[in-house]
């Protein structure tokens, strides 16, 4: 909704308005959920996991295959994490 409004005003939507999340809280959530145990994520200390695919450049991808492992990530946390990843 917010992203649509921004687009209508000729302003490129920011990653924050697309995801509705906060990248700073996203970093915190990523560390709390331990995503780095399985994923390599730039900007996240200790995130060198090799179990899952790297989450670098995820913002450049039009489509994210599969779905998040079922770690019980709440919607707010998921939005924040997405905001953080799209900021990369
Ligand atoms: C126990 C290991 C493990 C943990 C912990 C984990 N992941 Fe993953 N993740 C994987 C594996 C394996 C895949 C690839 C299989 C799939 O796509 O379902 C994957 C796939 C993904 C993908 C899709 C990547 C792509 O290129 O399509 C994203 C995004 C992702 N994980 C994000 C996260 C986030 C965010 C967290 C923390 C909330 C997290 N993962 C925690 C193992 C993990």
């Amino acid at each position: 909704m917010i992203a649509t409004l921004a687009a209508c005003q000729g302003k490129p939507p920011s990653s924050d308005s697309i995801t509705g999340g906060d990248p700073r809280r996203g970093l915190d959530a990523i560390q709390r959920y331990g995503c780095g145990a399985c994923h390599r994520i730039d900007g996240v200390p200790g995130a060198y996991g090799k179990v899952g695919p790297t989450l670098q450049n995820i913002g450049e991808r039009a489509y994210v295959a599969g779905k998040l492992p079922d770690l019980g990530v709440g919607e707010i946390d998921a939005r924040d994490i997405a905001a953080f990843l799209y900021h990369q």
Side-chain angles (χ1 to χ4, degrees):
M1 187 63 89
I2 296 166
T4 315
L5 277 175
C8 288
Q9 288 161 1
K11 230 175 74 186
S14 74
S15 53
D16 299 6
S17 64
I18 293 169
T19 60
D22 179 336
R24 284 170 303 270
R25 286 202 315 252
L27 172 60
D28 177 66
I30 284 170
Q31 293 179 307
R32 210 159 7 101
Y33 284 105
C35 313
C38 296
H39 293 284
R40 182 180 152 75
I41 315 168
D42 259 9
V44 180
Y48 304 118
K50 297 239 171 73
V51 178
T54 174
L55 297 186
Q56 274 165 269
N57 308 324
I58 202 102
E60 290 167 12
R61 296 182 35 183
Y63 178 74
V64 178
K67 55 180 193 148
L68 292 186
D70 190 1
L71 299 171
V73 180
E75 185 187 338
I76 307 276
D77 283 339
R79 286 180 181 278
D80 292 341
I81 290 171
F84 176 82
L85 293 175
Y86 275 111
H87 255 257
Q88 301 286 305

